[in-house]
Amino acid sequence: MNPMKQEYIDNFTNISELNLYTQQAIYSAIFSNEPEEELYNNTKDKFDDWKTRFLTEFEKLTDEERLKAGHQKEDFIHSASFSGFKLPRSKFRTIQSRMFGNCFTLDDDEVVARGSGRKNSLYIVLNIETEEYLEQFTSSYGIRMVIHEKGTYPLPEKEGITLGFKTETHVGLRVTTMDRLGGKYGKCTDGLEFRAKYKMNYTIPLCYSLCEMEHTIKYCKCRLRSSLGAVNPADERYCDFDDDEECFENVTQQILNKNIRCDCFSRCEQVVYSSTVSSSSWPHKHYLRNVLLTDICKRKPESLEHIGDPSRPVCDKITVHFEGMTDAEEDAISRNFLAVYIYFQDLTYEVISEQALYNTERFLSDIGGAMGLFVGASVLTCVEILQVCLEILLWFRRRRQTDNYE
């Protein structure tokens, strides 16, 4: 949730100046006491406005600069395992988010769940490096996690859940497959045209994001910097906060008001992951000292140099009884880490399918049934008429015989 590390901010003049001005003005100018009548008008939130300005300046950096300035995979992913076996960081692919900077996604054919429950989970310990957060433009510590269908593109700005530091979170998944009829029964898409055009699998959030980018280029004559490069022509300039903000925000509003149609329908065949999330405080003192801290000091002890007394680094205090380590130092270390288990609650899945209430086969069946009923009734009526005629003849015959005897 922190797009850029604090240590790199001085390398970029515009962002550094903006950060300095924000430090001086954020409490005096931005959050000064406003008249009560202005608290409820349609003005934009001041802190959100500064975040937008920062993100706009951040987007002006090249892809290489943004990649270097963000959290690195080697530092961010402290450890990962799947079904109890270590998972190398090379399995994670780096993508860039407009709002969150460097993101890391796991989409590997070899990582296949063959059981349910925590024993068969994906377990990740993350180091969010809270000391590197730009606190002038962020309001919390944590990460944004998106669980998405395989082969689709994650969009943490629009979907996902937020995980906080010093917690161990369990995410139990259930799978639901949805089959829609489409055609005359309702609008849905198979995503084939979308994939042919953008070289990505179709999802509704991705469709709206690309639609917004296309119409921003069309109406504002500029492009939003994004990892979605499918519709970003290189000859268009990047949107500027001061000059283009009103235009691209108007495009977004027009899409929300449906004045601009994006035609982003549900997929005809869709896999939906529903999750149950629970968490607990983590880590406790024994795990922190004997597992987490020991591992950090073996791999990258310099990452703890900012904690405690510089004359006696934290890693020098690793003894049998951890003598000299204070509660404040342990808390400062814990604030950098969080853990998450991701697993299927069971290996069954639910299928929701649409069926036509009255289709051609049922129509023909009903006609056949009606015809059968009418034909059957007609035959039965003929038999009954013949029976009545026979009974009338027999009655006349008996009457004649009676008259002859008399």
Side-chain angles (χ1 to χ4, degrees), residues 358-372:
Y358 202 76
N359 52 24
T360 304
E361 291 78 7
R362 186 168 182 177
F363 175 70
L364 295 176
S365 176
D366 287 348
I367 290 178
M371 291 180 62

Side-chain angles (χ1 to χ4, degrees), residues 43 56 120 163 169 226 246 278 292 343:
T43 57
T56 302
N120 299 281
L163 306 181
T169 304
S226 171
E246 184 177 350
S278 59
L292 194 58
Y343 52 86

Side-chain angles (χ1 to χ4, degrees), residues 89-203:
R89 294 181 186 85
S90 58
K91 295 285 186 181
F92 293 83
R93 179 168 54 93
T94 303
I95 62 173
Q96 289 189 348
S97 164
R98 176 174 179 264
M99 183 176 295
F100 301 111
N102 292 344
C103 297
F104 312 100
T105 181
L106 176 66
D107 189 352
D108 193 279
D109 293 334
E110 297 179 0
V111 181
V112 179
R114 306 188 185 279
S116 59
R118 174 174 169 171
K119 182 180 178 181
N120 299 281
S121 66
L122 171 65
Y123 177 61
I124 308 176
V125 177
L126 300 173
N127 179 5
I128 63 175
E129 300 177 291
T130 56
E131 74 280 358
E132 295 289 355
Y133 268 58
L134 300 177
E135 295 183 347
Q136 293 75 26
F137 303 102
T138 57
S139 57
S140 62
Y141 299 113
I143 68 162
R144 189 74 172 170
M145 184 176 70
V146 180
I147 299 174
H148 56 98
E149 184 181 353
K150 181 175 174 58
T152 60
Y153 197 92
L155 292 173
E157 301 92 345
K158 297 188 176 183
E159 51 189 351
I161 59 176
T162 301
L163 306 181
F165 67 91
K166 294 179 66 175
T167 60
E168 180 183 85
T169 304
H170 289 245
V171 182
L173 301 177
R174 291 186 182 275
V175 182
T176 301
T177 301
M178 305 187 70
D179 294 327
R180 300 179 176 89
L181 291 175
K184 61 183 179 181
Y185 299 105
K187 293 182 179 180
C188 69
T189 177
D190 56 13
L192 297 179
E193 293 184 6
F194 184 90
R195 181 169 180 78
K197 181 178 180 180
Y198 299 113
K199 312 302 181 186
M200 291 181 285
N201 290 336
Y202 178 89
T203 63

Side-chain angles (χ1 to χ4, degrees), residues 106-330:
L106 176 66
D107 189 352
D108 193 279
D109 293 334
E110 297 179 0
V111 181
V112 179
R114 306 188 185 279
S116 59
R118 174 174 169 171
K119 182 180 178 181
N120 299 281
S121 66
L122 171 65
Y123 177 61
I124 308 176
V125 177
L126 300 173
N127 179 5
I128 63 175
E129 300 177 291
T130 56
E131 74 280 358
E132 295 289 355
Y133 268 58
L134 300 177
E135 295 183 347
Q136 293 75 26
F137 303 102
T138 57
S139 57
S140 62
Y141 299 113
I143 68 162
R144 189 74 172 170
M145 184 176 70
V146 180
I147 299 174
H148 56 98
E149 184 181 353
K150 181 175 174 58
T152 60
Y153 197 92
L155 292 173
E157 301 92 345
K158 297 188 176 183
E159 51 189 351
I161 59 176
T162 301
L163 306 181
F165 67 91
K166 294 179 66 175
T167 60
E168 180 183 85
T169 304
H170 289 245
V171 182
L173 301 177
R174 291 186 182 275
V175 182
T176 301
T177 301
M178 305 187 70
D179 294 327
R180 300 179 176 89
L181 291 175
K184 61 183 179 181
Y185 299 105
K187 293 182 179 180
C188 69
T189 177
D190 56 13
L192 297 179
E193 293 184 6
F194 184 90
R195 181 169 180 78
K197 181 178 180 180
Y198 299 113
K199 312 302 181 186
M200 291 181 285
N201 290 336
Y202 178 89
T203 63
I204 292 179
L206 181 59
C207 176
Y208 275 110
S209 294
L210 292 173
C211 177
E212 180 183 0
M213 293 171 63
E214 285 183 331
H215 285 90
T216 299
I217 293 172
K218 179 179 179 180
Y219 294 111
C220 304
K221 307 303 180 185
C222 66
R223 54 177 170 150
L224 298 171
R225 184 181 289 276
S226 171
S227 57
L228 301 174
V231 296
N232 268 347
D235 55 342
E236 289 287 356
R237 63 180 180 83
Y238 287 117
C239 295
D240 183 80
F241 181 86
D242 296 316
D243 299 331
D244 304 305
E245 180 192 18
E246 184 177 350
C247 181
F248 61 71
E249 287 193 353
N250 181 61
V251 170
T252 302
Q253 194 61 41
Q254 292 295 321
I255 292 175
L256 293 176
N257 294 336
K258 299 184 179 180
N259 295 325
I260 295 178
R261 297 181 58 86
C262 292
D263 292 333
C264 296
F265 305 115
S266 299
R267 283 170 53 187
C268 297
E269 296 182 5
Q270 183 179 6
V271 178
V272 179
Y273 293 94
S274 58
S275 59
T276 301
V277 181
S278 59
S279 62
S280 60
S281 297
W282 178 92
H284 56 59
K285 184 171 293 189
H286 180 81
Y287 183 90
L288 172 64
R289 290 182 170 184
N290 294 280
V291 179
L292 194 58
L293 185 56
T294 302
D295 190 26
I296 297 170
C297 291
K298 285 182 180 179
R299 290 171 41 196
K300 198 173 182 180
E302 62 272 14
S303 64
L304 301 177
E305 290 179 351
H306 65 284
I307 297 175
D309 186 359
S311 63
R312 191 186 179 193
V314 172
C315 291
D316 292 347
K317 300 177 183 180
I318 298 181
T319 61
V320 177
H321 301 290
F322 286 82
E323 296 177 355
M325 183 167 293
T326 65
D327 292 339
E329 290 174 338
E330 291 180 352

Side-chain angles (χ1 to χ4, degrees), residues 49-90:
D49 186 57
W50 273 106
K51 287 173 62 178
T52 304
R53 182 178 291 272
F54 163 76
L55 291 174
T56 302
E57 294 297 331
F58 180 66
E59 288 171 4
K60 294 179 181 179
L61 305 180
T62 65
D63 292 341
E64 292 75 15
E65 289 174 334
R66 291 173 48 172
L67 184 65
K68 181 180 179 181
H71 295 268
Q72 303 302 306
K73 178 167 58 176
E74 293 73 19
D75 301 324
F76 187 74
I77 303 174
H78 176 75
S79 63
S81 62
F82 182 71
S83 297
F85 294 91
K86 290 184 177 181
L87 202 62
R89 294 181 186 85
S90 58

